[in-house]
Amino acid sequence: MNLFSELRTLVTEAIAAMQAAGELPEGLDLAAVAVEPPRDAAHGDMATNAAMVLAKPAGKQPRQIAEGLAARLSADPRITAVEVAGPGFLNLRLDKALWQRLVAAVLSQGGDYGRSAIGAGTRVNIEFVSANPTGPMHVGHTRGAVVGDALARLLAFAGWNVTREYYINDGGAQVDVLARSAYERYREANGLEPAIAEGLYPGDYLIPVGEALKETYGTALLDKPESEWLVTIRDFAVRRMMAMIREDLAALNVKMDVYSSEKALYGTGKIEAALERLRGLDLIYEGVLEPPKGKTPEDWEPREQTLFRSTAHGDDVDRPVMKSDGAWTYFAPDIAYHFDKVERGFDELIDIFGADHGGYVKRMKAAVAALSGGRVPLDIKLIQLVKLWKNGEPFKMSKRAGTFVTLRDVVEQVGADVTRFVMLTRKNDAALDFDFDKVLEQSKDNPVFYVQYANARINSVLRKATVDVDDLTLAGADLSLLDHDAEITLAKKLAEWPRLVEIAARNNEPHRIAFYLYELASDFHGLWNRGNDEPSLRFVQEDAGITQAKIGLARATGVVISNGLGILGVTPVEEMR
RNA sequence: GCACCCAUAGCUCAGCUGGAUAGAGCGUUGCCCUCCGAAGGCAAAGGUCGCACGUUCGAAUCGUGCUGGGUGCGCCA
């Protein structure tokens, strides 16, 4: 039950009726007609801008149109009052029974309340995390993982057909560095002194890899030239790193559907095929790039390279796909990988990148636009930095010592639920402060706690109730007994949920869910506390029927909180401890 | 030099793809528990929405130009 879409339909029907009566011309574009709750509750329950939007194309005065719509809308039993206000707004007041019925609908739909079909089964691929397989995931990756997974859950709830995908960067020089680093740990495991040279990965997490290598290969690879062990150890170490990353993701309650390998693109002709496709479109050529202005690399010299004409699709300069030594740049397999996603039949691609990859957005979009002939849109969400705080001070990590704050560090200290919620309390393109002390604080300025507390209170009421609180029983209760304004206000908030899901999904913005839940919790706490002064507003009453109606409202709130937390990937708690 | 992101109350941030008098939390001030959990609630004060033009019936939101901060800019991914 989505009240907003129901009422919008009502408005468009009224417009059609006016057209039929010759009061409005045919062929009007109704896309801009909105039906929304007004910011100020004094303006009624719902408002539409229809008269103002249609005034110009219809060649009529807004008020004239508004009067015509008002006359027709007021005939509907769901609408108790219509008034024309301001420059031509149409303010609607709705029958209380509508809100009461909504509570019943929430209860009977349960986990499906708010589910939407706007995605229309569109096949969307969300690529996220894609951390290099050279070490454990750190906090920087964590936010991307949370945002990507929450977005996946959100889009699935809104009717998209979602695939979560991880692109393993196992084809570049960094995995050779990993192999050399692991080799030193392998020597160490065999009782030799490791030589962790500058540029190798010094982290302790490679020590068990060295030991595992010793178990598998004994001493067979010792004192051999690099060319004899590099590939073996590299593959071994990458497998171990990916196993570790999967565990990290699992600790955060994130599960990928597909892992794609960069290395698997090499030697299969896939890169060549993708570039051939571009060449056929006259988007690949040999040329020389201008040096970047203002910050010329010291060893810069003009050089002819194979270039992708990304400027044809909105980029600022053309981009090289081949290095001067004839090897592919990282961009070439990236093009092939995105081409592969297009070929697999996705209708929509989403990439979640760290903000430091902001410079690659335009070229990636250019490549996808070219390779899909403009069919497949690519949305790239850039995830800004997470600043860690502890004891009121910035919590620094030391790259030099090879120590950094890992995803595990964070999850072990505060838990996956808190980590996820906090990471979603800011839009992705704004930097986020993550304060170890504050996120565990049990007070209302901690949104995680505040929302969970509301849910715990609801469950507390359910436990204390002496009436049957089964959802279907509650849905069948006489909800017309919910007629206090404070109760109707909460029901109105519940009515917003399906619309909010659609807005958040359309914009690929899961953080909106977190903010809505905070507002919903606030409304609930407000109603709860009014029970202190007005006993008639308490949930548990003498009369069983009244109690069921009131608990129905509380339980409906709990349903929405659970559904919302489900999208965020956070487990609702039933009791605070 | 260029590109992208950000700029909203003293602080941290929302703002529903352009709507009516711009909203929360913290902090400040004043209230509310013989309580279904006060781990909470109510109220007040607090704003040139960075600046300037423009589009529009209507701009925090869209466009252009500035200012300030962040990120990035061939042979690293």
Side-chain angles (χ1 to χ4, degrees):
Chain A
M1 177 170 183
N2 186 337
L3 268 175
F4 298 89
S5 49
E6 271 182 41
L7 288 166
R8 189 172 187 285
T9 304
L10 206 58
V11 170
T12 53
E13 282 169 359
I15 293 169
M18 286 183 72
Q19 288 174 317
E23 295 171 39
L24 281 176
E26 299 292 332
L28 292 170
D29 179 11
L30 303 184
V33 173
V35 179
E36 327 176 289
R39 197 174 297 167
D40 186 344
H43 293 138
D45 298 317
M46 217 62 87
T48 179
N49 59 357
M52 286 179 292
V53 175
L54 298 178
K56 203 169 197 179
K60 294 212 164 202
Q61 293 297 321
R63 286 195 80 91
Q64 196 182 349
I65 300 175
E67 299 293 348
L69 288 174
R72 285 169 174 82
L73 288 170
S74 56
D76 192 281
R78 288 170 284 185
I79 294 175
T80 55
V82 184
E83 66 189 56
V84 181
F89 281 103
L90 218 46
N91 291 333
L92 312 177
R93 280 170 214 284
L94 306 180
D95 187 0
K96 261 186 188 175
L98 216 53
W99 307 110
Q100 294 154 353
R101 279 208 299 277
L102 178 114
V103 173
V106 174
L107 289 167
S108 55
Q109 290 177 36
D112 287 328
Y113 175 62
R115 201 175 277 283
S116 164
I118 56 163
T122 304
R123 289 159 298 177
V124 60
N125 179 292
I126 307 179
E127 181 209 326
F128 60 111
V129 188
S130 298
N132 284 344
T134 55
M137 290 178 61
H138 54 76
V139 266
H141 302 122
T142 308
R143 190 174 177 195
V146 169
V147 171
D149 187 61
L151 179 57
R153 289 167 191 254
L154 170 62
L155 291 183
F157 196 66
W160 271 263
N161 182 348
V162 180
T163 298
R164 296 167 168 85
E165 187 152 334
Y166 186 118
Y167 179 57
I168 308 170
N169 288 106
D170 54 2
Q174 76 280 0
V175 283
D176 290 343
V177 174
L178 171 71
R180 294 186 191 106
S181 310
Y183 185 72
E184 293 306 321
R185 296 303 189 181
Y186 163 66
R187 295 182 68 244
E188 185 178 24
N190 277 293
L192 300 167
E193 188 66 25
I196 316 266
E198 183 76 27
L200 293 188
Y201 301 122
D204 291 347
Y205 59 87
L206 289 175
I207 293 174
V209 177
E211 282 161 4
L213 280 166
K214 182 191 166 194
E215 272 178 41
T216 307
Y217 297 103
T219 57
L221 300 175
L222 287 177
D223 303 320
K224 293 276 167 56
E226 183 179 296
S227 59
E228 289 186 30
W229 52 256
L230 185 74
V231 172
T232 305
I233 292 194
R234 187 179 65 201
D235 292 351
F236 188 97
V238 167
R239 271 200 308 278
R240 295 282 300 218
M241 293 300 105
M242 283 311 298
M244 186 166 67
I245 287 171
R246 280 174 209 242
E247 280 175 34
D248 285 349
L249 289 171
L252 198 59
N253 205 8
V254 174
K255 197 164 178 292
M256 295 287 171
D257 300 309
V258 177
Y259 285 85
S260 285
S261 159
E262 176 193 358
K263 193 165 63 107
L265 295 167
Y266 291 94
T268 57
K270 286 204 168 190
I271 297 174
E272 291 78 2
L275 293 183
E276 268 319 299
R277 163 74 64 114
L278 292 176
R279 199 182 292 275
L281 297 164
D282 193 28
L283 294 173
I284 298 284
Y285 68 102
E286 306 299 318
V288 180
L289 285 176
E290 294 286 312
K293 296 216 164 83
K295 198 188 167 188
T296 309
E298 285 172 19
D299 58 346
W300 196 91
E301 56 183 69
R303 194 169 273 158
E304 192 172 81
Q305 290 175 292
T306 306
L307 300 172
F308 167 49
R309 201 186 305 281
S310 53
T311 48
H313 288 277
D315 202 356
D316 310 303
V317 290
D318 293 337
R319 307 291 179 176
V321 294
M322 197 179 269
K323 300 178 198 170
S324 49
D325 65 0
W328 299 117
T329 62
Y330 76 93
F331 185 41
D334 258 10
I335 291 173
Y337 171 54
H338 281 78
F339 185 44
D340 181 60
K341 287 195 272 194
V342 169
E343 294 274 278
R344 276 187 271 152
F346 290 106
D347 304 309
E348 212 177 304
L349 301 180
I350 298 175
D351 287 352
I352 312 275
F353 286 173
D356 55 340
H357 284 55
Y360 306 98
V361 170
K362 284 187 177 181
R363 77 188 66 170
M364 231 35 263
K365 286 188 175 182
V368 170
L371 288 166
S372 72
R375 181 183 75 83
V376 180
L378 167 66
D379 187 14
I380 299 182
K381 310 296 281 183
L382 294 178
I383 306 297
Q384 278 292 345
L385 292 176
V386 177
K387 291 183 209 154
L388 292 173
W389 294 77
K390 202 164 192 174
N391 304 321
E393 291 175 2
F395 194 68
K396 293 276 185 191
M397 49 191 184
S398 161
K399 264 190 182 169
R400 195 164 42 86
T403 62
F404 39 82
V405 180
T406 63
L407 178 149
R408 289 301 189 91
D409 293 337
V410 177
V411 171
E412 277 165 17
Q413 282 190 56
V414 307
D417 286 337
V418 168
T419 304
R420 293 186 61 120
F421 198 107
V422 171
M423 296 266 176
L424 289 164
T425 53
R426 199 110 313 165
K427 48 189 171 195
N428 60 281
D429 44 18
L432 168 77
D433 285 334
F434 190 98
D435 187 321
F436 280 102
D437 307 311
K438 277 198 175 154
V439 299
L440 291 177
E441 201 171 285
Q442 303 210 330
S443 71
K444 65 178 168 179
D445 59 325
N446 178 0
V448 197
F449 166 79
Y450 192 71
V451 172
Q452 293 281 31
Y453 183 35
N455 196 55
R457 277 182 157 175
I458 290 163
N459 281 287
S460 161
V461 169
L462 293 175
R463 283 194 299 270
K464 289 199 168 140
T466 52
V467 296
D468 190 354
V469 293
D470 172 75
D471 280 358
L472 289 181
T473 308
L474 293 177
D478 180 8
L479 293 168
S480 68
L481 296 167
L482 291 174
D483 64 348
H484 194 284
D485 282 346
E487 293 164 338
I488 298 296
T489 299
L490 182 57
K492 287 179 182 174
K493 195 73 191 172
L494 298 177
E496 285 179 32
W497 170 242
R499 182 166 174 271
L500 183 101
V501 168
E502 293 185 353
I503 291 167
R506 253 199 300 274
N507 294 292
N508 293 336
E509 291 182 338
H511 75 275
R512 289 180 190 269
I513 305 291
F515 281 97
Y516 169 82
L517 289 178
Y518 186 85
E519 290 168 16
L520 176 61
S522 177
D523 285 355
F524 179 78
H525 288 307
L527 177 60
W528 176 286
N529 271 83
R530 287 193 62 166
N532 288 340
D533 296 331
E534 297 172 59
S536 68
L537 283 175
R538 296 180 187 178
F539 294 98
V540 177
Q541 301 285 333
E542 294 274 321
D543 181 89
I546 294 176
T547 301
Q548 279 192 326
K550 289 180 186 297
I551 288 187
L553 176 62
R555 172 58 193 155
T557 306
V559 165
V560 175
I561 290 177
S562 295
N563 292 358
L565 289 178
I567 288 173
L568 305 185
V570 174
T571 315
V573 301
E574 303 202 342
E575 221 173 334
M576 305 304 295
R577 267 176 235 136

